[in-house]
Amino acid sequence: MIFLFLQIIASKCHLYDQKLNVITKCVILLFLCQQTIICWAAIAWTKNSPLSIEKVQVEPPKAGEVRIKMTSSGICGTDDHALKGLFPLNFPLIPGHEGAGIVESIGEGVNSVKPGDKVLTLPVPQCRECSACMHPKGNFCEKQDVVPSSGLMLDGTSRFTCRGEKIYHFFRTSTFVEYTVVPEIEVAKIDDAAPMDKICIISCEVPTGYGAAVHSAKVTPGSTCVVFGLGGIGSAIVMGCKASGASRIIGIDINEEKFPRARALGVTDCINPQKLKKPVQEVVMEMTGIGADFAFEAIGLSDTMVAAWESCHLSYGVCVITGVAPPNTPFSLDGGNAFTGRTLKGTCLGDYKTRDSFPQLVTDYLQNKINIDPLITHQLPFNQLHKAFELYRAGKA
């Protein structure tokens, strides 16, 4: 309505030229960025409760913040863990962190994105100022809101309200909503040609899994790899191992329905630990004779972390943990073999610096250097989010 009004004025005055058009757009954007938006969101009111699709109020972005019109979001295992209360979080909250959208408005001081830009939300920020960001190998920014999670923006407040009650953010991304507000340091501008319904998983699944193999572990040609967990992250790890030239990839999961798809992605041997008469790491050692060159844990259980470690070659094996265990979860390793040369490391988002690297992953996809399409099993509208979680929990996604 405002835009139409300004158009009419301009046409009457014969002043509707390119300069006025720019001014008009700026006036509209300034007006919109000051307004609260009412839209639909999926709210978890308490842990272990069904998601409730409700109208929420989304405040305008403050200084250093970006408001995004969400177009697509993936479902990550971490979202499910959050809903089940496996992590200490504040409720009620809007989950989701694997998102793609279009910048609707920006707060004061934002200069890396502008309205209309296609962007990814980043579950871990890159402030480019802290010790992690300044280190060549660090990527777990000190301004993250993952461990521990406050559920609030950097200024300690929320941008969401429902039924007059404050709603908490999730990793400061909250992608299960039509509009979200995130800090600028958790937004990455991407190529305008990017298909939003696919590249949303480059916010988490692709760098976490694929990156664990090609960037964190640096899997070598001809190597043997073992992957614990063949869900979304595990599947992305398999793709990374294959792309790196691994000659043998052993996939381990208790859900055998995942095996045909895993083999199609590059798994050469599938194992169901529940059907074994001995620990799975012993079976892996027998299968390989010497142990795996690389082992990846993509489940988040202490037992599978130990099993992955013990599946590695004693001297030069590399064990990479991508699974997220609940806080204060201990796991014990045999100290007598800790000196032999085997390496244990954790990785977050493939050790990529998020704002610097994720746009390049999108470009790599557009240039057919990586293919993420096999990682997408279903595409559903927002109002079928419950069905999406049912498919995930049934092991079908």
Side-chain angles (χ1 to χ4, degrees):
M1 181 64 73
I2 295 172
F3 182 59
L4 179 61
F5 176 69
L6 291 172
Q7 278 186 314
I8 292 172
I9 293 176
S11 62
K12 293 294 184 183
C13 299
H14 306 288
L15 294 174
Y16 191 61
D17 57 13
Q18 185 175 3
K19 181 177 180 181
L20 183 57
N21 190 32
V22 172
I23 295 174
T24 301
K25 290 180 179 179
C26 290
V27 170
I28 294 171
L29 290 172
L30 180 63
F31 176 80
L32 290 176
C33 74
Q34 296 173 343
Q35 303 303 305
T36 294
I37 290 177
I38 299 176
C39 64
W40 294 103
I43 300 176
W45 287 97
T46 62
K47 66 179 181 180
N48 289 315
S49 65
L51 286 171
S52 178
I53 308 295
E54 304 198 33
K55 287 284 184 72
V56 297
Q57 292 77 47
V58 184
E59 295 177 8
K62 295 184 179 181
E65 297 176 356
V66 180
R67 188 160 61 183
I68 303 168
K69 177 178 175 59
M70 299 306 304
T71 59
S72 301
S73 179
I75 290 179
C76 179
T78 307
D79 297 315
D80 191 50
H81 292 166
L83 296 177
K84 292 177 178 177
L86 299 180
F87 304 122
L89 298 168
N90 291 311
F91 289 85
L93 63 81
I94 297 174
H97 63 279
E98 205 171 55
I102 300 171
V103 175
E104 178 269 338
S105 57
I106 58 176
E108 181 183 354
V110 172
N111 54 38
S112 63
V113 296
K114 64 183 184 303
D117 284 346
K118 287 185 175 182
V119 294
L120 292 177
T121 58
L122 309 174
V124 173
Q126 184 186 352
C127 72
R128 296 175 175 154
E129 298 174 345
C130 71
S131 62
C133 289
M134 295 297 289
H135 192 279
K137 295 184 178 180
N139 81 326
F140 200 67
C141 178
E142 293 174 13
K143 293 183 180 178
Q144 54 81 25
D145 197 49
V146 180
V147 286
S149 175
S150 68
L152 300 171
M153 298 294 281
L154 288 166
D155 68 352
T157 62
S158 171
R159 302 292 168 270
F160 300 125
T161 306
C162 181
R163 304 183 200 168
E165 185 174 349
K166 174 175 68 178
I167 307 298
Y168 288 94
H169 297 247
F170 184 60
F171 297 170
R172 299 198 185 104
T173 51
S174 291
T175 60
F176 294 170
V177 61
E178 291 180 304
Y179 288 84
T180 192
V181 179
V182 303
E184 181 184 13
I185 60 176
E186 294 195 50
V187 175
K189 183 182 182 302
I190 58 174
D191 195 303
D192 287 338
M196 305 296 269
D197 61 335
K198 294 184 178 181
I199 54 87
C200 60
I201 63 173
I202 293 180
S203 281
C204 179
E205 179 182 1
V206 174
T208 298
Y210 186 87
V214 303
H215 192 246
S216 299
K218 295 180 171 57
V219 169
T220 53
S223 60
T224 295
C225 301
V226 57
V227 181
F228 286 77
L230 297 174
I233 302 298
S235 296
I237 292 171
V238 169
M239 293 175 66
C241 292
K242 184 175 181 179
S244 298
S247 62
R248 190 176 190 183
I249 304 173
I250 302 170
I252 299 172
D253 203 292
I254 61 173
N255 182 358
E256 295 189 13
E257 291 184 13
K258 297 178 181 179
F259 289 174
R261 186 164 166 270
R263 289 191 177 95
L265 293 175
V267 169
T268 55
D269 307 87
C270 293
I271 302 175
N272 180 350
Q274 293 183 334
K275 292 188 175 181
L276 302 177
K277 296 181 179 180
K278 59 181 68 175
V280 65
Q281 54 266 47
E282 292 184 20
V283 173
V284 171
M285 294 299 290
E286 291 175 359
M287 292 173 64
T288 60
I290 56 174
D293 299 293
F294 301 93
F296 300 89
E297 199 277 349
I299 301 170
L301 299 175
S302 58
D303 288 348
T304 48
M305 292 177 182
V306 172
W309 165 257
E310 294 181 350
S311 296
C312 287
H313 190 284
L314 196 63
S315 178
Y316 53 77
V318 177
C319 178
V320 180
I321 306 297
T322 67
V324 182
N328 302 314
T329 300
F331 69 104
S332 300
L333 304 177
D334 181 1
N337 291 329
F339 73 97
T340 61
R342 193 168 28 177
T343 300
L344 173 67
K345 69 168 295 181
T347 180
C348 174
L349 297 170
D351 290 331
Y352 290 115
K353 292 184 182 292
T354 51
R355 293 169 75 191
D356 291 345
S357 301
F358 286 16
Q360 184 58 52
L361 290 173
V362 173
T363 301
D364 288 346
Y365 170 67
L366 294 175
Q367 295 177 350
N368 297 317
K369 294 179 181 178
I370 59 173
N371 180 21
I372 65 174
D373 292 354
L375 298 174
I376 301 171
T377 57
H378 301 79
Q379 290 181 312
L380 298 168
F382 181 53
N383 61 8
Q384 293 186 30
L385 185 59
H386 297 90
K387 181 179 179 181
F389 268 98
E390 289 173 4
L391 289 167
Y392 167 80
R393 289 167 178 165
K396 299 183 182 297

